[in-house]
Amino acid sequence: MRILIAEDDQVLADGLMRSLRGTGAAVDHVANGSEAEAALLANSEFDLLILDLGLPKMHGLEVLRRLRGRGQTLPVLILTAADGVDERVKGLDLGADDYMAKPFALNELEARVRALTRRGMGAASAVIRHGPLEYDQSGHVAHIDGKLIDLSARELGLLEVLLQRSGRLVSKEQLVERLCEWGEEVSHNAIEVYIHRLRKKIEQGPIRIATVRGLGYCLEKIQG
Ligand code: CA
């Protein structure tokens, strides 16, 4: 999962990044509205935008208005001042999906992020099933036949992307974009290494990650 945070309060942004990275998400951060606008124009792979409304250079509501004006549908969680009732209402009217009033508890924010990204992917439940494999998107744990699989944060992120697109080709480029943050150098070779490790841990019975030569990977559909 890839999340963009637009927040000019560096302490709050750092806390958000730490907390969300701990759940296996790739998190990018911008500190003003025009950078947020540029990031959203340049990258369509974000699964969620966490948008502070009181941003320098371009107000959060303007970022949101332009985003929806372009028809970009990614879920948006706005952050508002405790007394920002009018802004909150405007934000929701402009197409924000949820809001948090500052100050808020990080675990509540995490829960809302989970709910929004699930909705964004059209899944009502937090658990994705794939044959004997069960992946819990809220707890970030995977089980095969009820047995816990020990996966690193990177492997969990990779598994999540493959499961969300099960039966479809996922290119190495898409994996890099979904898993990696700006400034992070992750080569296609590194993706191969992560896939190799993930395979060793999850490939059993009918579960198989197929390599589509020169193109990418596909978590093969399980019949029945
Ligand atoms: Ca602010």
Side-chain angles (χ1 to χ4, degrees), residues 6-9 52-56 79 102:
E7 169 59 72
D8 58 323
D9 177 339
D52 176 36
L53 291 186
L55 285 177
L79 306 180
K102 297 175 184 178

Side-chain angles (χ1 to χ4, degrees), residues 63-130:
V63 175
L64 181 60
R65 198 185 59 77
R66 294 189 185 191
L67 177 80
R68 293 303 189 225
R70 289 190 296 271
Q72 286 184 271
T73 57
L74 79 161
V76 178
L77 173 66
I78 52 177
L79 306 180
T80 73
D83 58 353
V85 181
D86 289 348
E87 283 197 334
R88 219 169 289 161
V89 171
K90 274 187 203 141
L92 293 170
D93 282 346
L94 281 172
D97 298 272
D98 201 356
Y99 71 86
M100 300 274 306
K102 297 175 184 178
F104 49 79
L106 281 177
N107 57 0
E108 184 182 354
L109 179 116
E110 283 179 23
R112 289 186 188 222
V113 164
R114 283 196 295 272
L116 285 172
T117 49
R118 271 207 302 279
R119 233 179 287 159
M121 284 154 191
S125 151
V127 176
I128 305 179
R129 288 195 176 76
H130 182 81

Side-chain angles (χ1 to χ4, degrees), residues 32-63:
N32 68 59
S34 32
E35 279 177 21
E37 159 91 345
L40 292 161
L41 278 168
N43 194 315
S44 57
E45 292 288 331
F46 290 115
D47 300 297
L48 176 73
L49 168 64
I50 297 178
L51 178 66
D52 176 36
L53 291 186
L55 285 177
K57 293 197 181 164
M58 188 191 293
H59 196 274
L61 286 173
E62 181 58 18
V63 175

